[in-house]
Amino acid sequence: MSRVLVTGAGGYIGRHVVEALFHSGHEVLAIYHGSSAADKRVERLNIDIFSGAPDIYEQTGKPDSLVHMAWVDGFVHNSPAQLKYLPLHYQFLQDMLAGGLPQAAVMGTMHEVGYWEGAVTENTPTNPLSLYGIAKNALRQGCNILQNQYPDAALQWLRAYYIYGDDTYSHSIFTKLLQAVAEGKKTFPFTSGRNLYDFISVDELARQIAACATQTEVKGIINCCTGKPVSLAEQVEAFIRERKLDIRLEYGAFPDRAYDSPGVWGDDSKIRKIMGY
């Protein structure tokens, strides 16, 4: 059993990661943003991780592992907050490692990559196209430097892809579809739906994150994904069928965006090793 500190524990993904860690038998220390409702099984820490306190590792109870998911305006990809908080994330991670943190699993995103066609590996070049992607990519590069400075620590960069499930808490196309149904709409304006993406349920993603953060054999960039490209149309049509929604897609109402890849998905070789798939 590990003592795992989870930042952003009340977020869209964080709540599921806390559950996955408990299900695997680990002790959870958690930091929630603002008044987010805390899971009653966790030890909630009322600590400002961006305080710059050099003893932050001691303040957080000297956990065995850190899952760092806290992020301001994660759904607002060109918010000024993306770059504003970047140095604070780096300082937090540096101080945790300097204090003796043995393992840090930091949440990444496919938006670090920018335009890419095909499978994304740990060696795929990055060219982010939003402030969110730029900030995450810079933090990932900073983690490479931290790994060199603290070679005994296990640093992992967990790169997520297209997430669905628990859709009332996200800002995805599935959320917008549910909102349209709630408003009584019978059609939903859509693109061609031909683009291929790597879709993963938030519960499966949480299980993958929990597994990564409680093992140290596999490090570096880890794609938390399925490794299977699925068309947007196929995924959304399945969503409509499974939930028996009285709405149909209006294909071609929106043009396909020129900067969207015709197909992008994660190389799942590392996560398969960790999960034992």
Side-chain angles (χ1 to χ4, degrees):
M1 183 180 74
S2 298
R3 298 179 73 244
V4 184
L5 171 65
V6 179
T7 69
Y12 171 55
I13 304 172
R15 294 178 300 110
H16 296 269
V17 172
V18 168
E19 179 64 35
L21 287 166
F22 273 123
H23 185 73
S24 299
H26 300 288
E27 180 183 349
V28 181
L29 310 171
I31 295 175
Y32 290 79
H33 177 69
S35 59
S36 299
D39 190 306
K40 292 180 171 56
R41 297 167 295 177
V42 309
E43 180 180 344
R44 180 169 184 169
L45 305 179
N46 293 311
I47 294 171
D48 179 7
I49 62 172
F50 297 141
S51 67
D55 65 340
I56 191 71
Y57 181 56
E58 291 186 8
Q59 288 187 30
T60 55
K62 295 184 177 181
D64 301 310
S65 177
L66 163 69
V67 180
H68 184 47
M69 292 184 294
W71 199 265
V72 177
D73 284 353
F75 291 115
V76 187
H77 285 186
N78 282 313
S79 165
Q82 307 298 341
L83 300 183
K84 175 183 176 181
Y85 284 91
L86 173 59
L88 302 180
H89 285 282
Y90 182 82
Q91 186 68 54
F92 168 63
L93 292 170
Q94 184 178 49
D95 289 338
M96 289 290 286
L97 291 164
L101 177 69
Q103 180 178 7
V106 185
M107 203 68 218
T109 170
M110 62 161 296
H111 294 288
E112 305 153 40
V113 177
Y115 186 92
W116 185 258
E117 295 183 26
V120 175
T121 73
E122 57 188 312
N123 298 313
T124 296
T126 56
N127 183 29
L129 301 174
S130 67
L131 294 182
Y132 175 64
I134 289 169
K136 284 285 191 178
N137 191 53
L139 185 60
R140 178 187 61 80
Q141 293 171 320
C143 285
N144 291 339
I145 294 173
L146 290 174
Q147 180 67 91
N148 291 332
Q149 291 177 345
Y150 302 96
D152 293 335
L155 261 70
Q156 299 155 323
W157 186 262
L158 310 183
R159 184 175 280 160
Y161 289 76
Y162 287 87
I163 310 164
Y164 68 93
D166 203 1
D167 299 290
T168 55
Y169 289 94
S170 75
H171 291 241
S172 69
I173 188 172
F174 306 104
T175 305
K176 294 172 183 175
L177 192 60
L178 290 175
Q179 290 171 345
V181 170
E183 292 167 4
K185 296 178 180 177
K186 299 299 182 182
T187 61
F188 186 81
F190 201 54
T191 63
S192 72
R194 290 191 295 260
N195 299 68
L196 302 173
Y197 300 114
D198 194 321
F199 293 96
I200 188 169
S201 74
V202 69
D203 288 324
E204 176 60 19
L205 175 61
R207 285 190 288 271
Q208 291 186 2
I209 292 170
C212 289
T214 51
Q215 63 81 45
T216 57
E217 181 182 353
V218 181
K219 299 187 290 185
I221 297 173
I222 303 170
N223 289 315
C224 291
C225 64
T226 67
K228 299 174 183 176
V230 177
S231 75
L232 180 61
E234 183 181 348
Q235 189 71 30
V236 176
E237 291 283 11
F239 180 84
I240 292 171
R241 287 195 305 272
E242 290 166 5
R243 287 158 180 76
K244 296 180 172 59
L245 303 180
D246 184 17
I247 196 168
R248 64 177 178 82
L249 300 178
E250 186 182 349
Y251 287 98
F254 294 127
D256 292 331
R257 298 180 300 192
Y259 56 83
D260 281 343
S261 167
V264 61
W265 58 93
D267 174 2
D268 65 345
S269 54
K270 277 189 168 182
I271 196 64
R272 287 177 67 86
K273 180 178 180 180
I274 293 169
M275 302 299 291
Y277 292 155

